[in-house]
Amino acid sequence: LGKKSVLASFLFILLFISVGCSDDSVQPESRLNDYVKLWNKQDFEEMYTDYLSASTKESYKSEDFIDRYEKVYSDLGITDLKVETAFEGEQDREDKEKVTLPIKVKMNSIAGEIEFDKDVELKKETRDEEENWYINWDTTFILPDLQKDEKIGIKSTKAQRGEIFDRNGKGLAINGTAQQVGIVPEQFDDAKKAEVAKILDNTTEYIDKQLNQSWVEPSLFVPIQKIAKDDKERIEQLNAIDGVQFSETAVREYPYKESAAHLTGYVGTITAEELEKHKDKGYSASSVIGKRGLEELLEEQLRGKDGYTIYIDREEPAVIAETEPEDGQSVTLMVDADLQKTAYTNMKGVAGTFSAVQPETGDVLALVSSPSFDPNDFILGMSAENYKKLEENAKQPLLNRFAATFSPGSSIKPLIAMIGLNAGTLDPNKTIDISGLKWSKGEEWGNASITRVTDPKRPVDLEAALQYSDNIYFAQTALAIGEDKLISGLKDLGVGEEKFPLEYPIRASQISNDGKLTSSKLLADTGYGQGEVLMSLVHLASLYGGIVQDGTLMKPRLFETTEAAVWKESITSSDNAALLKKDMRKVVTDGTATAAKSDQFALAGKTGTELKESQDEKGQENGLFVAYDQNNPNAVMSILVENVQDEGGGKAVQKMVLQTFEKWEAEGRN
């Protein structure tokens, strides 16, 4: 071989020997990369068992590592953990037994982002006759500058919950105050314990539990129970007992109490189930959350975000992360709180519901469910016994009736007339001549019949049919309209749509259970508001508002931030609307609603008192009345009272509406 060939062969052999004899053991860079992957997965057990150096394990037991990581990450609400190595490839190093490599740690916490750089020292150790690289760990890996025996502190600054106001700025749900009742043990006579328990509607066992807490000392004020600041009778009784004292405390307050309870709802301490449902949203076990009504519906908007400071607890605390509290957003409703209260008061605890809508704007002025409950009782502490009473009350005060749908009864008749007028199948001047109180299509209906309340002894036109609420007239009107046109006409009024267009979840109105009116008996029954048609009272009031507005049906709106908008452009002609308004005025002056006659108002509207288990039997009867003042048509009010036969009948229902108009007028209409 030539010299060049010999040299090339020699170099090849050297290269072969160099490659073949290279150190193929795990390198510290790849070892740290694997550790970082486990860290990002928060697999703290494997991190401790397989990656920490022997000296680290001598200083830190598994619970000092695994349990502390898990507790710290849980308590600090750590999310979006991202640990990265801050080097590329293998690093040059002189020491073959120890090496330092950089990493970057980034995470989100309840107090905001935490980010720090860290130099990680790895050392070579032999275990089970195998060499590998292990990490010298300390508590600065958890948080920067955290020493072994130091504790991490969390300080919270509460955000103010957004408040709920009515259209005039009156508070429906506000951040108010209550009286915290407490006992100073050294000043208190134990013989008075039963008396205090009775005043607070509580038990001596509960008071003992509070007084026997580990932190209690004889001279300290021990909180027992909150009571309303305007509960003057109980405050006076408790003030007379030595050792009982008061302190003002911040609470959520509902000034309109029962009258707006189903609308506002209330807040309460979050449950374990709610905490799981809303995990990763910043709630803790002590958080307050909306439980019903608008408090629940608008939780995200109202709640705000508490401020947090994470710090290392020292003589001079070292702040790790900090965020300022962000107060929740307040909400203004189009509701008139005084009208809401007036309507509720005038219902006198009967089971039913009331709605009021402003025709020109669609503003929902009132949404009432009766009977009700005081949401302040839940804030101050609702006993299990009192809650059981609410649950077992036959009138179901916990049921939100304004969100439900009901058979509209005869209050649907102006709407059926409107559909007939629009379709050209109803001539308002044409009379029908029916003798007696019953009418049937014989065998086609299985000999079932339709009953009317009054036989006027003369032919009946539209005006008379509305005036005397003639079921037979409107059954025949529906048959003349026909299934297709009646369904189409009801859909034009929003009946049968999938969703009712209000910001509060109101059940959608339906035409029938299957959306069809195939049976002629069902078609006829629908004409006078029986059958299977169901409507909410706020929908009913809105539709009457469309008649008041000469055919323009406004979209109902609850929030001030929602722009007024037309829902249905033209539900009827202005001529048809004028005819219906004239006829509905006659219902009050000379028809079924004479109990609502007044020299002060020119009320017009329609009654509905025909919902029974069977038309031929006595049974449950719901009384309805929808009315507005033709001289000042700024509100359509609708009311439904359940079991009206036990509550004074239809006349009592009409008087409730009249009294509401009177009180609202006296207080100054808005």
Side-chain angles (χ1 to χ4, degrees), residues 109-122:
S109 74
I110 56 175
E113 190 174 275
I114 298 173
E115 186 174 6
F116 60 94
D117 297 335
K118 176 71 183 170
D119 288 330
V120 181
E121 185 178 82
L122 296 93

Side-chain angles (χ1 to χ4, degrees), residues 555-574:
K555 186 177 180 180
R557 67 168 184 158
L558 185 59
F559 301 137
E560 182 185 51
T561 51
T562 302
E563 290 188 18
V566 174
W567 180 19
K568 307 289 183 181
E569 189 67 50
S570 180
I571 60 173
T572 195
S573 68
S574 58

Side-chain angles (χ1 to χ4, degrees), residues 373-572:
F373 57 91
D374 187 348
N376 296 296
D377 290 342
F378 287 89
I379 301 299
L380 301 174
M382 171 75 75
S383 69
E385 183 180 352
N386 286 338
Y387 187 76
K388 186 178 180 183
K389 288 179 182 177
L390 286 174
E391 283 189 310
E392 294 178 351
N393 188 317
K395 290 188 177 181
Q396 298 179 281
L398 294 174
L399 175 64
N400 183 355
R401 290 172 166 87
F402 72 69
T405 53
F406 301 85
S407 174
S410 292
S411 63
I412 202 175
K413 289 172 181 174
L415 307 177
I416 297 297
M418 181 170 64
I419 293 170
L421 292 169
N422 293 345
T425 59
L426 174 63
D427 180 347
N429 300 312
K430 183 179 179 181
T431 61
I432 62 171
D433 192 2
I434 304 167
S435 298
L437 298 178
K438 293 182 182 292
W439 175 74
S440 173
K441 294 194 75 174
E443 292 184 4
E444 182 181 339
W445 289 358
N447 294 318
S449 61
I450 292 173
T451 303
R452 58 181 177 178
V453 177
T454 302
D455 180 1
K457 307 296 184 183
R458 61 180 174 83
V460 179
D461 60 7
L462 176 59
E463 180 184 289
L466 285 170
Q467 185 178 340
Y468 298 111
S469 199
D470 194 317
N471 291 343
I472 296 174
Y473 179 94
F474 283 98
Q476 294 189 3
T477 297
L479 291 170
I481 295 170
E483 178 188 6
D484 292 343
K485 288 182 179 179
L486 186 55
I487 289 175
S488 176
L490 287 169
K491 286 184 175 179
D492 288 343
L493 302 180
V495 183
E497 290 188 357
E498 187 174 337
K499 189 174 184 297
F500 183 67
L502 185 66
E503 303 96 317
Y504 192 101
I506 302 291
R507 189 175 300 160
S509 301
Q510 72 170 39
I511 295 169
S512 69
N513 295 339
D514 62 4
K516 301 176 182 178
L517 298 172
T518 307
S519 158
S520 66
K521 182 63 165 62
L522 181 59
L523 178 62
D525 287 342
T526 302
Y528 59 99
Q530 301 296 325
E532 297 170 354
V533 63
L534 298 173
M535 299 178 71
S536 66
L537 269 286
V538 65
H539 191 174
L540 199 54
S542 295
L543 292 175
Y544 275 62
I547 297 173
V548 171
Q549 287 297 109
D550 294 328
T552 300
L553 176 58
M554 298 300 291
K555 186 177 180 180
R557 67 168 184 158
L558 185 59
F559 301 137
E560 182 185 51
T561 51
T562 302
E563 290 188 18
V566 174
W567 180 19
K568 307 289 183 181
E569 189 67 50
S570 180
I571 60 173
T572 195

Side-chain angles (χ1 to χ4, degrees), residues 122-190:
L122 296 93
K123 62 186 295 189
K124 188 180 288 186
E125 293 182 0
T126 301
R127 296 183 188 176
D128 299 327
E129 300 182 356
E130 288 187 10
E131 278 191 344
N132 213 332
W133 292 91
Y134 294 90
I135 293 163
N136 282 332
W137 183 92
D138 59 38
T139 47
T140 61
F141 280 69
I142 298 176
L143 289 177
D145 202 30
L146 176 66
Q147 301 306 305
K148 182 176 181 180
D149 296 324
E150 289 183 325
K151 294 183 178 179
I152 301 168
I154 305 172
K155 183 176 71 175
S156 66
T157 306
K158 290 292 182 184
Q160 287 286 311
R161 190 173 179 87
E163 298 176 303
I164 303 174
F165 300 99
D166 87 331
R167 65 190 296 115
N168 300 310
K170 296 183 178 181
L172 291 165
I174 62 174
N175 299 318
T177 59
Q179 288 292 329
Q180 176 68 68
V181 181
I183 290 174
V184 179
E186 65 183 11
Q187 300 174 16
F188 182 68
D189 181 358
D190 269 6

Side-chain angles (χ1 to χ4, degrees), residues 236-284:
E236 186 177 334
Q237 291 173 337
L238 291 165
N239 246 331
I241 301 173
D242 291 339
V244 177
Q245 295 184 9
F246 300 87
S247 70
E248 192 170 81
T249 185
V251 296
R252 192 68 161 176
E253 192 176 340
Y254 302 96
Y256 284 82
K257 300 183 179 180
E258 292 90 347
S259 65
H262 287 283
L263 177 61
T264 60
Y266 56 86
V267 297
T269 304
I270 197 167
T271 63
E273 293 77 13
E274 290 167 335
L275 193 57
E276 175 63 24
K277 180 181 177 181
H278 297 284
K279 62 184 178 182
D280 302 331
K281 290 187 178 180
Y283 290 96
S284 68

Side-chain angles (χ1 to χ4, degrees), residues 7-26:
L7 180 60
S9 298
F10 179 73
L11 291 174
F12 176 80
I13 292 168
L14 284 177
L15 180 61
F16 177 81
I17 293 171
S18 174
V19 172
C21 298
S22 65
D23 183 6
D24 60 355
S25 61
V26 176

